[in-house]
Amino acid sequence: MSETIEKRKQKMSPFFRQVVAVSGVVLYMIGTGANIAYPGVLLQQLRLPDSAMRLTPDHESWIASILGLALISGILVAPFSLQKLGRKLTNQLSTLPAMGGWALLVAAKGPAALLASRSLQGFAMGLQAAAAPVTIAEYSSPKYRGAFLATIAFSFATGMLVAHIFGTLLYWRTAAVACGSFYAVSLILISIPPETPPYLASKGKNNECRKSFRWFRGNDENSEKELEVLLNSQKKYTPKVALFTFYRQMITKPEFYKPTVIMMFMFVLFQISGMTVVPSYTVPMMEEVSGGTIEAYTSMLMVDVVRFLTAVIACIVVNKLRRRTVLFVGIIVSVVSLLTAALLLYLRDLGYLPEEYKWTPVVPTLLYIFGKTLGILPIPWAIAGEIFPLAYRSIGSGISGMFLSVMFFVVVKTAPTSFRQIGINGTFCVYGISIAICGVFLFFLLPETKGKTLFEIECHFRGEREKELNEKDVMLELRKVEEG
């Protein structure tokens, strides 16, 4: 019997095991996408005359934006949880407040309960925002890491599409039950794989690390070499100092502050591109962009389908092309599309667009959705999982995640005011110029990480070469495997 089980284990390829491990996080992030997009259908239904619950415009903006504030609490907890409890348990625990938030939303009788439910969801999202890229990167071999990290973007897009479909076809409480079910399945899948090898290595659990690494990567010669690099790097670089001294030294090290600055710009770019604004306010935004020529829910689903299909393409593109190439193509397409859409909207407002061409701003708007989903959505999450050294990965993810959450709140909370005061066209101009500014900084700051092991990326920021670390031969062998 035991021999049969062992044979089955051997038949399961390392790639398939990595897919199983990553799929639990992917389902969680689908739930996150649904969290972000759900106000787009919830608020639309609650505005109907026969709605049992009445909301003010202020209530609506808080329901859409409070996720950003609640994210902060989750992100503050995440570094300690990732470091003390590990990646696996952090992922498991984060599903509980998420499911609780959806359950409370289903039972909500007034605005206060809606805000409380969204706060629980935001706390869970904060934990997962720090944990997801780290966990996926540590589960994955370098050859597949880009594609697996790009599934975060795919998951967001899928969750947004699912939430809008459920919200279009179902009553909002029923739609909430359907959206919340993703977390239950996620919890089951997250519980299958072992703890990540780098975390076990960082804790000095070498035997467990070896078992976990072989579960994910197999035990061929090249995998064994990579395993030894991982274990030896921790022996050499794990600090043996007091906690205060560790943090004081940490902030002066280039392998910590350089990735942190890069991720700050990455997540500011992510939010200022309208990544979370568009799903929350798709219907009113597209009503304005189309000039009322396209039915509201139809235009919403058009945006969702473009986003979803582009996210599928991004999973392939991110693994095939250089990270920088994908990011800057997305930035250029987004900036040009936003400014073009703004120009067409200005011309329409001034009466220079004939009545039969009122819909034309829809085209650059959909191109903007394509551009930001292709490059601006997946690359920050891919880089977040790769760029921090193991010793500072939990802390770095938490600090950069703070920028993500603060910008989430600021951008989504101010969006209704921005739409009213300067219009959709003015808002598009602000987003386009902001994306361009962030893009300029990242052009000079961001290194290429595609095809490199996590240890090689750490060496880059430390300013060391593999030969200086007596790892040159091993690294050359690893690169051959990755390129193959």
Side-chain angles (χ1 to χ4, degrees), residues 266-278:
M266 279 287 195
F267 282 141
V268 169
L269 170 68
F270 182 87
Q271 293 294 357
I272 204 66
S273 68
M275 197 63 68
T276 47
V277 168
V278 173

Side-chain angles (χ1 to χ4, degrees), residues 293-311:
T293 59
I294 302 176
E295 198 274 327
Y297 282 101
T298 301
S299 63
M300 178 179 70
L301 293 177
M302 285 169 57
V303 170
D304 288 336
V305 169
V306 170
R307 185 191 293 117
F308 176 80
L309 293 177
T310 308

Side-chain angles (χ1 to χ4, degrees), residues 19-183:
V19 169
V20 171
V22 169
S23 62
V25 183
V26 166
L27 279 171
Y28 193 108
M29 301 310 283
I30 289 175
T32 295
N35 285 344
I36 295 170
Y38 187 73
V41 291
L42 170 68
L43 301 180
Q44 198 69 13
Q45 289 195 26
L46 293 181
R47 293 186 190 115
L48 297 175
D50 59 346
S51 171
M53 192 185 305
R54 310 306 301 177
L55 300 178
T56 66
D58 197 44
H59 285 146
E60 291 186 0
S61 68
W62 274 106
I63 288 169
S65 63
I66 199 168
L67 284 180
L69 282 182
L71 270 168
I72 297 174
S73 59
I75 286 173
L76 285 173
V77 173
F80 303 99
S81 180
L82 288 169
Q83 192 67 25
K84 298 296 183 182
L85 302 180
R87 295 14 172 178
K88 180 177 178 177
L89 187 54
T90 298
N91 281 294
Q92 290 172 316
L93 292 175
S94 68
T95 63
L96 303 181
M99 288 188 287
W102 281 108
L104 181 57
L105 193 148
V106 170
K109 300 297 183 184
L114 290 177
L115 289 171
S117 70
R118 299 283 288 167
S119 298
L120 277 173
Q121 293 169 350
F123 173 76
M125 284 172 57
L127 279 175
Q128 194 65 7
V134 171
T135 305
I136 291 177
E138 293 184 0
Y139 278 153
S140 312
S141 60
K143 184 176 181 180
Y144 306 119
R145 193 175 65 230
F148 284 146
L149 285 167
T151 59
I152 295 178
F154 169 77
S155 303
F156 279 150
T158 303
M160 293 170 186
L161 175 62
V162 165
H164 285 164
I165 291 175
F166 286 159
T168 302
L169 301 177
L170 304 173
Y171 182 55
W172 63 270
R173 294 188 194 274
T174 310
V177 174
C179 291
S181 65
F182 285 100
Y183 292 104

Side-chain angles (χ1 to χ4, degrees), residues 331-346:
I331 287 174
I332 291 169
V333 172
S334 298
V335 171
V336 172
S337 300
L338 280 168
L339 297 181
T340 302
L343 176 61
L344 289 173
L345 288 168
Y346 276 119

Side-chain angles (χ1 to χ4, degrees), residues 275-289:
M275 197 63 68
T276 47
V277 168
V278 173
S280 298
Y281 300 106
T282 304
V283 173
M285 186 191 82
M286 291 305 294
E287 281 180 337
E288 174 67 24
V289 169

